[in-house]
Amino acid sequence: MVRNAATLGRSGVHDFVLLRASALVLASYLIFLVGYLVLTPELTFSVWQNLFAGVAMKVFTLLALLALLIHGWIGLWQVLTDYIKPVGLRAFLQFAVNLVLLAYLFAGVVILWGV
């Protein structure tokens, strides 16, 4: 079995499971938000703010953000390894993608928790 250092010890099965699990989390978050928007008669800023003030919603949103980042990381890694053949360019692009995803995570934590 050939091991690639860029995979960080992941296997195809591991990626498959992570993609499916993250898709389930994202789908449940989307269904919840659409349901909330449909069932809320008057959506004002204070109603929206009260929704995200609860710890459960913050945790659910953070979980959805992590799922989105995992989904994006694996998906973009697969696209880059399939279509970018020069190793140096691919490594730079993967590094750039990882930096952007980490910035999104940091921004999400700061926005959600006010840290």
Side-chain angles (χ1 to χ4, degrees):
M1 173 188 245
V2 177
R3 287 252 176 210
N4 185 355
T7 63
L8 299 175
R10 295 187 338 253
S11 66
V13 173
H14 188 253
D15 286 351
F16 178 85
V17 170
L18 280 175
L19 281 174
R20 287 348 178 242
S22 65
L24 287 174
V25 170
L26 290 171
S28 64
Y29 190 74
L30 179 69
I31 290 168
F32 171 78
L33 283 180
V34 169
Y36 185 81
L37 292 173
V38 168
L39 296 175
T40 303
E42 185 179 343
L43 189 63
T44 62
F45 178 75
S46 62
V47 171
W48 193 250
Q49 191 175 28
N50 287 337
L51 171 66
F52 284 92
V55 174
M57 188 61 188
K58 286 182 180 184
V59 170
F60 192 27
T61 302
L62 186 61
L63 186 63
L65 177 63
L66 288 172
L68 182 65
L69 297 179
I70 289 169
H71 207 85
W73 179 43
I74 293 172
L76 287 172
W77 176 82
Q78 289 176 345
V79 168
L80 290 174
T81 54
D82 284 346
Y83 294 108
I84 307 297
K85 296 304 177 189
V87 176
L89 178 61
R90 184 173 62 232
F92 171 76
L93 290 174
Q94 286 175 338
F95 179 73
V97 165
N98 288 334
L99 279 180
V100 169
L101 293 176
L102 284 173
Y104 287 161
L105 177 62
F106 179 73
V109 168
V110 167
I111 291 168
L112 277 174
W113 298 97
V115 177

